[in-house]
Amino acid sequence: MEHYVVKGGNALVGEVEIAGAKNAALAILAASIMSDETVTIENVPDVSDIRVLVQAIESIGARVGHPDRHVYTINGAEIKDLPVDNALIRKIRGSYYMIGALLGKYKHAQVALPGGCAIGLRPIDQHIKGFKALGADVRVLKGGLLGAGAENLHGAHIYMDMVSVGATINIMMAAVMARGTTVIENAAKEPHVVDLANFLNSMGARIKGAGTDVIRVSGVERLHAAEYAIIPDQIEAGTYMFAAAATKGDVTITNVIPKHLESISAKLKEIGCEIEESDDALRVVATGRLKQTNVKTLPYPGFPTDMQPQIAVLLGLSKGTSIVTESIFESRFKYVDELMKMGAHITVEGNTAIIDGVEGYTGASINAPDLRAGAALVIASLAADGISEIHDIHFVERGYEDFPEKLRSLGGEIIKVSSEEEEEKAIRRFQLRAV
Ligand code: EPZ
């Protein structure tokens, strides 16, 4: 099985360019089928979750072009009314955006219930509540499909019971061509919610307020062609910021929107890193041992849950006791056992991790339990003394483009191998370099 072999101990130094945002791209690619004209999407990251969604879009009859690694053209004129379902689509979370897109355009949809990272119960009651408020009948069909359909969709006033990125996005898509105005209260404010709204508006939608907690969608008759570039990935950028800090490095992260990274920059400064900011880049410099802090995950603009494992890895090496509270997902500390194998001192009590910083980690054989935790364990291995093996890297590849290549360009020693032979070769190469 493919895995990473990592030799830790090198400070990461240099410049790394960030890809387009995976979670924005999932929503935008799904929404692009809503026009009968050709839509061109640029800055799409080349990661496995995106490839799966594109396959699903193609399988229902959309014409998909892929003229460049990061560009897709999508024409939804000939979509057939087939269920969106296959073994792969059941594994990704972003599949549920096909419900909002198909329901919004055709007034009916049948999509396999979503999978995604195992980070706790992930109900979709708020999505369903929104679709119903717009006039749709929603039910679970045979074979684990979610069906939604209506004669006509109409605008509605929807108050979300909790801040949900996915539900906000799905309801926006379903409401775009509904008759009248929809108001989504307590909406999510994440950058990818705003990116989707900007994209839909570029196709002729009338959405106001995205980025605040009240979004107004005035229904339009149809959506037209557009060309759109996806925003940079806030979480990929943050991951490299923490990698720089954990290895006591000096990394400039380019193609970012610094505003989207404020909660991350603020925490890094608080624990002793230097951050330099320009229009579309951030430099992170860490010298010496960092200090403890406490952090609680919150919806944007709070500290993102998708950065929780990465900051925990860093705080595991910082001086003093840190407390990390996970308030979005119920089961996002599965990586802690793996990190303890590397020498971390962490106690988990409910949704809180109490971290006693250690001087250093040591290399170990570990498993990535999900996407972001997998990336965090790679950071721990890069900072550790000795060699680590990281298994289940298919999770990491769901959301990080060229992860080993980018880390190697910064001086990290990480090689993806697929056999014992390759692993031995990688280790010999590390040993030769060390001589
Ligand atoms: C999105 O998931 C992201 N996924 C997640 O990224 C991210 O962690 C999360 O937002 C929070 O920022 C995609 O964009 C594909 P939510 P989503 O609906 O939309 C509860 C990654 O690593 N909830 O904002 O599924 C829910 O259980 C992934 O890239 C309900 O109870 O998250 C959670 O506790 C992992 N009912 C909270 O709300 C609902 O109907 C927030 O979930 C919907 C959500």
Side-chain angles (χ1 to χ4, degrees), residues 51 99 125-126 134 137 141 339 390 408:
R51 291 191 287 271
I99 309 172
D125 55 299
Q126 298 303 303
L134 296 171
D137 179 28
L141 309 172
L339 201 55
I390 300 155
R408 274 204 298 276

Side-chain angles (χ1 to χ4, degrees), residues 232-246:
D233 198 305
Q234 166 209 13
I235 305 301
E236 187 196 15
T239 300
Y240 285 100
M241 291 168 77
F242 284 118

Side-chain angles (χ1 to χ4, degrees), residues 39 60 71 73 103 174 210 243 248 257 260 295 342 395 409 420:
V39 171
I60 52 168
V71 181
T73 59
L103 179 66
K248 302 194 178 77
I257 300 174
H260 293 168
V295 59
M342 303 181 76
F395 284 121
S409 78
E420 264 180 43

Side-chain angles (χ1 to χ4, degrees), residues 240-250 264-275 284-294 310-322 355-361 379 383:
Y240 285 100
M241 291 168 77
F242 284 118
T247 60
K248 302 194 178 77
D250 179 349
I264 297 159
S265 299
K267 275 293 160 202
L268 284 171
K269 280 186 200 157
E270 202 177 302
I271 62 175
C273 291
E274 272 175 54
I275 309 279
V284 178
V285 185
T287 40
R289 196 156 175 221
L290 300 169
K291 294 179 293 220
Q292 63 73 233
T293 189
N294 299 332
Q310 299 90 319
I311 197 169
V313 161
L314 181 61
L315 295 175
L317 294 169
S318 302
K319 201 168 173 197
T321 301
S322 301
I355 305 176
D356 286 318
V358 294
E359 294 272 348
Y361 296 139
I379 298 177

Side-chain angles (χ1 to χ4, degrees), residues 87-101:
L88 288 174
I89 201 77
R90 284 176 181 265
K91 290 197 179 142
I92 72 164
R93 191 79 193 154
S95 58
Y96 61 18
Y97 292 144
M98 296 301 292
I99 309 172

Side-chain angles (χ1 to χ4, degrees), residues 399-419:
Y400 289 89
E401 180 179 301
D402 295 342
F403 201 33
E405 291 80 2
K406 286 185 181 180
L407 289 168
R408 274 204 298 276
S409 78
L410 297 171
E413 297 200 77
I414 169 166
I415 298 178
K416 179 174 161 178
V417 299
S418 47
S419 65

Side-chain angles (χ1 to χ4, degrees), residues 204-249:
R206 289 172 56 210
I207 302 175
K208 286 189 179 155
T212 74
D213 47 21
V214 184
I215 298 180
R216 285 192 164 71
V217 185
S218 306
V220 295
E221 287 281 314
R222 54 183 284 281
L223 297 176
H224 53 67
E227 275 181 35
Y228 194 81
I230 287 169
I231 52 166
D233 198 305
Q234 166 209 13
I235 305 301
E236 187 196 15
T239 300
Y240 285 100
M241 291 168 77
F242 284 118
T247 60
K248 302 194 178 77

